[in-house]
Amino acid sequence: MILLRIWSCRIFSFLPIYLFGTFTVCIPWKISQLEMAETTFSYVILSFGLAMIAAIQFCRIILMPRFGTLHLMPIGGLLFSINFYFWTSANDYLTFLLLAFPAGIFFGLVSPPANVETFRLEEETGKILFPIFEAFMSLGILMGALTSGFLLAQSVQPEAIFSSVSLIIGITCIFLIIVTSLKFTIIPTAKTKLKFPDKAVILPGIIAALVYATYGIIVDWSAHWLSTEYMVSAFIAGIIIYFFSGTELLALFLGSKLLRNYGEKMIAFYGMLFGCFTLLACLIFGNVFLIGLAFGIFGFFTANFHPILMRITGRLEVVNKEDAISDVNLMSFSGFIIGPPIIGFIGEHYGLTWCMFALPMLWIICAVLIRPKLTG
């Protein structure tokens, strides 16, 4: 039963992100279709982030103490897959903006239960599970981007891609709703209230928010940046996502072994610095394939930073560790509120290249800030 719980968390870290991954390569097409400026598109991402944060709080305070974690994930996944089709296929900006709200809400029903359940499983088994859990998120982004990029190269229309993947994921979620209702009993989380996070989680929470705020530069903006700055095809525009997600996936699958052999400090500080400085150097040269390779190196050496943040949170001296995990998860996604308008404004007025250079610089700051909390 523990193995089934582990795989439930992994599957639902994959499925919604896979859907989102299919959209990332199509972002340049969507921006062109709706004639959006960078700032205008950033409001859509901001709407998604605001709705997701509200849903995370609702899930943590109301839903998880009543329904547990495992039963919420497939329901959230099904609702997200249905909304995803209508959201990504919207033919006018207002509809596209408004449907970002339910998209964020439904995504927020999947992420908190998966994080809390993974923390529970680490406590129960004594195993390092967060890196593999996040590996399935990277796998989702990578497979989604590759699926979309390949089909676009075969002249398949984006609307056909969105309808197909939404249908497949929706059917999968219906099947998993049946499985979870038959196999799992409800294990509610401890009741909690809407409150300011414990001061012990502020530092890892702020760092996680910075990471997520800048992560959007890669996921949301990299394809658009390459297509406008270097005039490459839709498939080639996804090269940063392919390289970054691919090497990030490899590092996360090796995460448990890397942590045991090298320790947190080597991975989350020295490895981070190496990846960041490599990316900075390659951005200066301005070659598309060199940039893609650099993002691959960056992805490998930064992949385990967020899982280590979650492990640090689990070691904090707090009354309710599940609350602490939820608080850091909430603060992580608050980066979606901070990041989009800033990136959109800079991109529209100064160019997205400045954002690409800011990415490794901010991650260097994150590595320095978290260094005192690292073991090994």
Side-chain angles (χ1 to χ4, degrees), residues 11 18 36 44 49 112 145 158 180 195 203 282 340 357 361:
I11 288 168
Y18 172 80
M36 292 182 284
V44 177
T180 52
K195 57 181 177 58
L203 178 62
C282 292
F357 277 97
M361 292 178 183

Side-chain angles (χ1 to χ4, degrees), residues 308-320:
I308 288 172
L309 273 179
M310 301 305 285
R311 287 173 56 79
I312 289 170
T313 305
R315 295 198 298 262
L316 295 174
E317 296 296 328
V318 292
V319 175
N320 189 329

